Amino acid sequence: MMDVRSLHKYMELDQINSISVSTGDIQVLVLSSKYPGIYFRSCDESSFTATKTRGDALAITQRIPFWNSEFRKGRPSLPWLWADPLLVIALREQNALCELNVQVSSGSARIAGIDVRKLGCKVSAGSLRIQYSSCEFATFSVTNSSVVSKSLKVKEECSVSASSSRVVLTDSFQPENGYQIRSNNGSLRLGAQRFPGTVVKEKTGSPLYVVESDNSRVEIL
């Protein structure tokens, strides 16, 4: 885990209970830290807009493509993006955030060790990784992308909408969990159960997993 103190601090996160971040061709890293705040690496706040949408909510949007300038010929490899996130959002270790929304287009995001009430993730032509995090409600909207998580604990409901994508959530599903699934021309697995092809099925239980999949591989294990 990186030491966020080595990065340039841009904004404190005191009194912020809801964060929405929308990025393009960079990687954003969201993690918990003893030093909460928003940090930049190899870029500055001029590439982003940060707006308080209400008293305790913050919206951060990447304003301009990072890799299109004449000094940055071509986008780096994905391993480089994973190793060197350009935007780091370090959340408080205690007093869990109420809501976190991450939207990625043509870039990547990584979420590690956070606890939020509502987690929303929208990924288009990009990738998302989640490690050792928890929430009450999770929503994933995935198009032409890859989402991989390890030990994401959902307490109430997890909704997954996938199109031409790969979504793999490990250490998440238990036999007593419920589901509502609609899968078309893809591969769907919930725990030990496999649902190939086209299927519509449901089962009561808690937490509830709601899956709509089209030409995708979805595994919730």
Side-chain angles (χ1 to χ4, degrees):
M1 197 71 69
M2 72 167 53
D3 184 354
V4 296
R5 290 174 297 176
S6 65
L7 306 179
H8 169 62
K9 182 182 291 188
Y10 167 63
M11 182 180 293
E12 298 284 354
L13 291 181
D14 291 339
Q15 311 304 319
I16 296 296
N17 288 313
S18 175
I19 296 177
S20 296
V21 56
S22 178
T23 67
D25 60 347
I26 68 165
Q27 188 203 338
V28 58
L29 169 63
V30 184
L31 76 167
S32 60
S33 172
K34 295 179 181 178
Y35 307 95
I38 298 173
Y39 302 82
F40 295 94
R41 169 187 283 175
S42 302
C43 63
D44 58 40
E45 55 269 29
S46 66
S47 300
F48 300 85
T49 58
T51 306
K52 279 194 174 182
T53 56
R54 60 178 190 266
D56 62 349
L58 178 68
I60 306 166
T61 304
Q62 184 180 349
R63 230 171 23 91
I64 55 176
F66 186 73
W67 295 103
N68 282 0
S69 89
E70 60 180 318
F71 301 106
R72 306 182 185 98
K73 299 293 185 181
R75 191 165 174 269
S77 64
L78 188 59
W80 188 94
L81 278 175
W82 287 128
D84 295 275
L86 299 186
L87 173 63
V88 178
I89 300 175
L91 305 179
R92 297 183 297 269
E93 290 185 323
Q94 298 178 342
N95 299 323
L97 198 68
C98 179
E99 186 171 2
L100 173 66
N101 293 297
V102 177
Q103 180 173 329
V104 178
S105 178
S106 303
S108 59
R110 183 155 58 97
I111 298 172
I114 68 163
D115 179 18
V116 299
R117 184 171 183 269
K118 295 181 180 180
L119 174 64
C121 301
K122 184 175 182 179
V123 189
S124 176
S127 60
L128 168 68
R129 293 181 184 178
I130 302 175
Q131 293 178 301
Y132 305 110
S133 296
S134 62
C135 60
E136 293 184 27
F137 301 91
T139 303
F140 296 93
S141 177
V142 190
T143 305
N144 296 317
S145 301
S146 171
V147 172
V148 177
S149 83
K150 180 177 182 181
S151 294
L152 173 63
K153 304 303 182 184
V154 179
K155 300 173 185 175
E156 296 291 339
E157 182 175 314
C158 178
S159 175
V160 177
S161 175
S163 176
S164 302
S165 298
R166 174 177 176 260
V167 179
V168 180
L169 313 181
T170 60
D171 296 332
S172 294
F173 193 83
Q174 301 296 327
E176 63 271 18
N177 296 163
Y179 56 77
Q180 296 174 357
I181 57 176
R182 295 178 181 268
S183 179
N184 180 46
N185 293 331
S187 171
L188 174 61
R189 181 179 175 186
L190 297 176
Q193 300 183 77
R194 297 179 183 271
F195 305 93
T198 299
V199 62
V200 177
K201 203 166 186 178
E202 65 179 62
K203 171 187 170 241
T204 58
S206 180
L208 178 67
Y209 287 84
V210 181
V211 180
E212 293 191 8
S213 173
D214 185 32
N215 294 309
S216 297
R217 174 189 169 191
V218 178
E219 296 183 357
I220 304 177
L221 309 174

